[in-house]
Amino acid sequence: MSERIVTNPARMAENWRVAMTALTNLFLTTHRTLSGHPPQLGPTELLIYMTVSVANVQKLMRERNIPGDYAATGILPREWVVPISRNAIATATHLPRETVRRHVATMIRTGLLVEDERGGVTLPVGVIKERGFEPLLEGMLTDFARSAETLLRIGVLRIEKD
């Protein structure tokens, strides 16, 4: 028998402010952590960077069992990396296409993003270790755990047995 975490809509309605504060605080912690780390991105660049990051690993994240070191910081083979187009970034972020185009061009010039030969953009190979992102995870996960604990305590989230 396995367990999974599910939402409880009735408790969400009863605890809207507490739940929203916990989630918003989690977002702000993530933003503060990632934007304060070199190369200190502004809000628009950070939004684009995070969108590219998530898009690039979508194929891997659909796997039921993520292979070995790919779940950690191992460099993904290029066939596992999914490039994202500037139009897709604009759609996902609700930013104007021209804004995305300008920021992506700057981020490519500074080495934060790379043009992919398949079209679209990706993060550079080895970015987790080269940019020193590994140590950032603990603080972000600590805040996530605090938020999840709050949401479980007030019943907005609950553990359900399958």
Side-chain angles (χ1 to χ4, degrees), residues 1-156:
M1 183 175 278
S2 64
E3 297 177 333
R4 62 188 185 120
I5 297 176
V6 298
T7 58
N8 183 343
R11 295 293 295 189
M12 279 192 271
E14 296 168 4
N15 292 281
W16 189 93
R17 181 168 285 115
V18 175
M20 196 63 209
T21 300
L23 292 174
T24 302
N25 189 54
L26 181 59
F27 168 79
L28 292 171
T29 297
T30 301
H31 183 272
R32 187 174 46 253
T33 300
L34 294 177
S35 66
H37 186 73
Q40 299 179 330
L41 302 173
T44 302
E45 293 90 355
L46 183 60
L47 182 58
I48 292 169
Y49 193 79
M50 291 175 70
T51 301
V52 173
S53 299
V54 169
N56 287 177
V57 296
Q58 64 182 306
K59 182 176 180 181
L60 178 68
M61 297 308 293
R62 285 193 298 263
E63 291 294 309
R64 286 181 109 26
N65 296 308
I66 297 176
D69 195 32
Y70 301 157
T73 59
I75 294 175
L76 293 178
R78 293 320 278 172
E79 64 268 12
W80 281 89
V81 177
V82 180
I84 184 171
S85 71
R86 290 154 182 80
N87 282 340
I89 295 168
T91 299
T93 60
H94 296 279
L95 291 170
R97 284 188 169 99
E98 182 56 26
T99 299
V100 169
R101 187 199 63 72
R102 275 194 330 272
H103 284 284
V104 166
T106 300
M107 294 167 84
I108 288 171
R109 272 195 309 279
T110 60
L112 287 172
L113 299 176
V114 294
E115 197 77 53
D116 193 279
E117 64 276 358
R118 299 168 288 179
V121 293
T122 64
L123 299 181
V125 174
V127 71
I128 296 171
K129 289 184 180 187
E130 287 179 21
R131 297 272 179 191
F133 287 133
E134 289 175 291
L136 302 179
L137 182 60
E138 185 178 356
M140 290 169 55
L141 277 175
T142 298
D143 195 55
F144 172 78
R146 253 191 307 252
S147 297
E149 187 175 69
T150 298
L151 297 173
L152 282 164
R153 182 176 37 78
I154 63 174
V156 169

